[in-house]
Amino acid sequence: MFNKLSSMAYGSFGVSSKALVFCRPCYGSIRDLPSSLRTPTIGHCGCVGAIAAPRNVVKPRKEESRDFSGARKSNKDKSMPWKKLDANEFGIQRSMIPDSTRMVLNKLKKKGFQVYLVGGCVRDLILDRIPKDFDVITTAELKEVRKVFPGCQIVGRRFPICHVYVDDIIIEVSSFSTSARTGKSPNKTLRKPVGCNEPDYIRWKNCLQRDFTVNGLMFDLSENVVYDYIGGVEDLRNSKVRTVSAAKFSFVEDKARILRAIRIAARLGFSLTKDVAISVKELSSSLLRLDPSRVRMEINYMLAYGSAEASLRLLWRFGLMELLLPIQASYLVSQGFRRRDGRSNMLLSLFRNLDRLVAPDRPCHEFLWIGILAFHKALVDKPRDPTVVATFCLAIYSELSLSEAIEIARSNSKQHNSNFQELSGHEQDIDNSDSKLSQQVINLAETIRSAVRKLNDRDYIANAMSKYPQAPGSDMVFMSRPVLERVEKMFGSVRRKGSQERDGLPSLERRINYKSLALGDFHETRRVFARIVFDTVYPPNQN
């Protein structure tokens, strides 16, 4: 049976040319798609939208498009153009940029420096999505940036940048000169485009040092112009993730780009170009040589910012989950999950419900997604009666005593999701005994603590896929012990005595304090965790 399941999981590989647009209700800026573009997608929640290309991606005017030799670009000429585009045609408005970022841009501009927004924030503005953050690049030297913002700090040794503090927000400001000294040299076969001026040349060289074409866009707010020197707009139009240089070379140069490619594709619903997809698969084992802190950072970007389910699906599709999350990969194989499987399961449902609550500008702390992984592992190891799970959620959500949580859980009339193997049938002794129910809740908390410890157990991780010999081996541990100890305390205990009496089922719809959630506040993280688990076990639309 194991060989059959293994062949199901490892028998195919490919890349879809379709792009999934994940439209979550918390994205107030998402535009309605016309009915002609709506088609069914994987998943079962209303947050999953339709298959479509990004909106409002415009074609440059002919006089603004030239190839690298400086000649006009004809229809038959496929060389890469450099473009100067009107931001109004993308629908970019000043109100889409935070006051703190505009203040930094304006101050540097008033001092006579050229200054631009750069990278993923420009990409997201064009796609009418919420940027995770706003990065600034300027012609000023970093020491000159410090003169403009005396309270800022220069951080980083290999790639120094300035952290400019505006209230409690950090704006990252880099310098063209620093990038030129520390970045890779542009391809020597590429010459300065004929007819472009010195500012164009400086911008062009910087864009060639970027990881992906869709991240190689610059936006001049004062001129309301978007600069595209490496085909980023075209790839946005085609919903493609493409490396600036050859994919294999790019990933050898920086192995973390493999994970970034997955993250961008998951967040935007883009597909990987053929050479990127092949290189991700061929060089996947190089991730084992990546510093664990880098892996942890990239996984956190995948799971904490609103695209966790899509990220997990792509990690599984490209064979990376076995290397990074082998415990979860083992679960998917045991479920007979194929590489392109459109079905769902409890693990993916938990993260889908997490995605509904967080966003790029409202992320959670890593405590939350680690807690979800540990909770799911605890249920895989020992399936539980839904009443046990409901009682556990109520106890940690409202700080109720077990007796109070049990009383309210028994009054819950919602139907649980019976499709999950991690949930056992109702147990008769639990129905008749509060003490036995209480003991099972305590036992569940203990099992979660044990599951958290397994996430840092190198031997356990190395053997997670031992039943499936075709899978690559991995003993990578990227979660730090202090973080896991905090998660263990956060989700591995329930309160025996409550501080106050409650009548009826506590509302799980209370407003989330996103600042506290991002900081990993103990109580806020537990409440959001309980809400996610409860909504997964007892779906709101379940009859």
Side-chain angles (χ1 to χ4, degrees):
M1 180 175 180
F2 288 141
N3 290 335
K4 181 179 179 181
L5 293 175
S6 182
S7 63
M8 289 170 64
Y10 293 93
S12 63
F13 169 79
V15 185
S16 173
S17 61
K18 296 180 179 180
L20 294 177
V21 181
F22 294 91
C23 304
R24 290 177 287 104
C26 54
Y27 275 162
S29 62
I30 292 295
R31 300 292 190 264
D32 292 332
L33 292 168
S35 57
S36 61
L37 293 179
R38 294 174 186 164
T39 60
T41 64
I42 58 174
H44 305 288
C45 75
C47 298
V48 180
I51 297 173
R55 68 169 188 85
N56 289 344
V57 180
V58 300
K59 295 181 179 179
R61 291 185 290 273
K62 290 183 180 180
E63 65 270 23
E64 293 176 336
S65 177
R66 304 188 184 197
D67 64 25
F68 282 120
S69 66
R72 296 283 184 180
K73 180 177 171 63
S74 67
N75 292 334
K76 295 182 180 180
D77 186 7
K78 295 184 178 180
S79 59
M80 188 66 66
W82 56 275
K83 304 171 185 176
K84 178 179 177 182
L85 304 167
D86 185 352
N88 289 327
E89 297 185 52
F90 295 109
I92 300 177
Q93 301 176 4
R94 287 177 177 269
S95 60
M96 299 166 70
I97 302 170
D99 293 341
S100 56
T101 303
R102 292 207 305 269
M103 185 274 288
V104 172
L105 294 171
N106 291 337
K107 276 197 171 185
L108 288 169
K109 188 70 175 178
K110 287 179 180 179
K111 293 294 183 179
F113 302 110
Q114 296 299 310
V115 60
Y116 311 90
L117 291 177
V118 67
C121 65
V122 183
R123 172 201 72 205
D124 290 345
L125 289 173
I126 291 174
L127 295 177
D128 195 25
R129 300 180 74 94
I130 302 173
K132 178 174 66 68
D133 47 33
F134 289 82
D135 292 335
V136 174
I137 190 166
T138 178
T139 54
E141 298 278 354
L142 294 185
K143 60 183 180 181
E144 293 174 315
V145 175
R146 289 190 66 175
K147 291 180 180 179
V148 179
F149 304 99
C152 77
Q153 292 182 329
I154 297 178
V155 300
R157 293 183 179 179
R158 186 180 176 189
F159 301 105
I161 60 174
C162 271
H163 278 178
V164 178
Y165 299 90
V166 183
D167 297 327
D168 58 347
I169 299 172
I170 298 176
I171 309 296
E172 292 189 357
V173 180
S174 59
S175 170
F176 280 108
S177 60
T178 302
S179 299
R181 289 193 299 267
T182 59
K184 66 179 182 181
S185 300
N187 190 327
K188 294 182 180 180
T189 64
L190 294 177
R191 298 180 179 180
K192 176 180 177 181
V194 176
C196 78
N197 55 27
E198 190 62 22
D200 256 325
Y201 183 54
I202 292 172
R203 290 188 293 260
W204 174 66
K205 285 199 303 180
N206 184 268
C207 289
L208 292 181
Q209 298 173 16
R210 302 283 163 179
D211 49 6
F212 301 98
T213 58
V214 294
N215 288 343
L217 301 166
M218 292 186 186
F219 174 42
D220 186 336
L221 180 63
S222 64
E223 299 293 331
N224 209 36
V225 167
V226 172
Y227 295 96
D228 176 17
Y229 299 92
I230 52 179
V233 169
E234 185 69 19
D235 285 330
L236 288 179
R237 180 185 292 116
N238 295 324
S239 303
K240 293 290 185 180
V241 177
R242 185 191 312 274
T243 51
V244 173
S245 57
K248 184 171 290 188
F249 173 79
S250 180
F251 293 159
V252 168
E253 182 180 57
D254 185 354
K255 296 179 281 292
R257 288 176 178 169
I258 295 174
L259 297 180
R260 256 178 265 150
I262 296 295
R263 169 160 58 93
I264 293 171
R267 177 158 183 257
L268 301 180
F270 283 15
S271 58
L272 308 183
T273 59
K274 184 177 179 179
D275 68 319
V276 170
I278 291 173
S279 297
V280 165
K281 184 173 172 57
E282 290 181 348
L283 299 174
S284 59
S285 61
S286 67
L287 292 175
L288 297 176
R289 300 191 296 275
L290 197 60
D291 187 276
S293 63
R294 291 284 302 280
V295 174
R296 175 181 163 192
M297 180 181 70
E298 289 296 333
I299 294 295
N300 186 61
Y301 283 147
M302 290 182 190
L303 302 185
Y305 287 79
S307 56
E309 182 193 2
S311 295
L312 290 174
R313 286 184 181 275
L314 287 178
L315 287 174
W316 171 246
R317 179 183 298 178
F318 288 99
L320 304 182
M321 188 179 288
E322 296 90 318
L323 301 173
L324 306 176
L325 298 168
I327 295 174
Q328 287 67 43
S330 175
Y331 163 75
L332 292 182
V333 178
S334 71
Q335 297 262 307
F337 218 67
R338 296 179 181 273
R339 289 299 183 191
R340 294 178 170 276
D341 213 317
R343 296 174 298 161
S344 191
N345 52 43
M346 189 172 190
L347 176 66
L348 295 175
S349 295
L350 284 165
F351 280 98
R352 183 186 309 136
N353 283 319
L354 169 62
D355 289 341
R356 286 173 169 170
L357 301 180
V358 297
D361 61 334
R362 298 194 304 271
C364 66
H365 195 278
E366 61 185 331
F367 294 158
L368 181 53
W369 59 260
I370 294 174
I372 292 173
L373 291 178
F375 167 79
H376 180 258
K377 173 60 177 170
L379 291 191
V380 170
D381 289 345
K382 185 176 181 179
R384 303 284 176 171
D385 186 299
T387 307
V388 173
V389 178
T391 304
F392 175 77
C393 288
L394 291 165
I396 68 170
Y397 181 87
S398 299
E399 300 297 327
L400 298 173
S401 68
L402 275 180
S403 60
E404 292 169 326
I406 288 171
E407 182 180 356
I408 297 173
R410 289 198 186 284
S411 67
N412 175 34
S413 60
K414 292 185 177 181
Q415 294 294 316
H416 73 276
N417 191 324
S418 58
N419 296 321
F420 298 147
Q421 298 177 11
E422 296 88 334
L423 301 176
S424 64
H426 281 297
E427 300 177 23
Q428 192 65 35
D429 57 344
I430 288 179
D431 288 340
N432 299 328
S433 172
D434 285 359
S435 63
K436 290 184 178 180
L437 176 54
S438 176
Q439 185 55 48
Q440 287 224 21
V441 173
I442 294 171
N443 183 259
L444 172 58
E446 292 173 349
T447 308
I448 293 174
R449 288 200 299 271
S450 174
V452 173
R453 290 191 288 270
K454 289 175 181 177
L455 298 176
N456 194 247
D457 187 332
R458 193 175 298 277
D459 291 336
Y460 186 89
I461 290 174
N463 291 312
M465 295 291 291
S466 60
K467 294 179 181 179
Y468 314 107
Q470 291 179 330
S474 172
D475 63 350
M476 175 179 283
V477 173
F478 62 84
M479 300 182 195
S480 69
R481 188 176 297 276
V483 168
L484 292 177
E485 288 175 352
R486 180 66 173 168
V487 173
E488 191 176 338
K489 292 178 181 178
M490 193 171 283
F491 303 112
S493 62
V494 290
R495 195 167 187 167
R496 304 297 181 90
K497 295 181 180 181
S499 58
Q500 55 184 328
E501 294 290 334
R502 302 290 181 95
D503 294 325
L505 186 67
S507 172
L508 298 180
E509 300 299 325
R510 67 179 290 277
R511 186 181 295 274
I512 296 173
N513 185 326
Y514 282 99
K515 183 175 182 179
S516 297
L517 183 65
L519 294 173
D521 176 78
F522 183 90
H523 299 291
E524 192 64 33
T525 305
R526 277 165 61 103
R527 280 192 286 265
V528 175
F529 168 87
R531 178 173 171 178
I532 291 167
V533 172
F534 196 91
D535 284 349
T536 302
V537 175
Y538 296 95
N541 57 352
Q542 189 91 5
N543 294 326

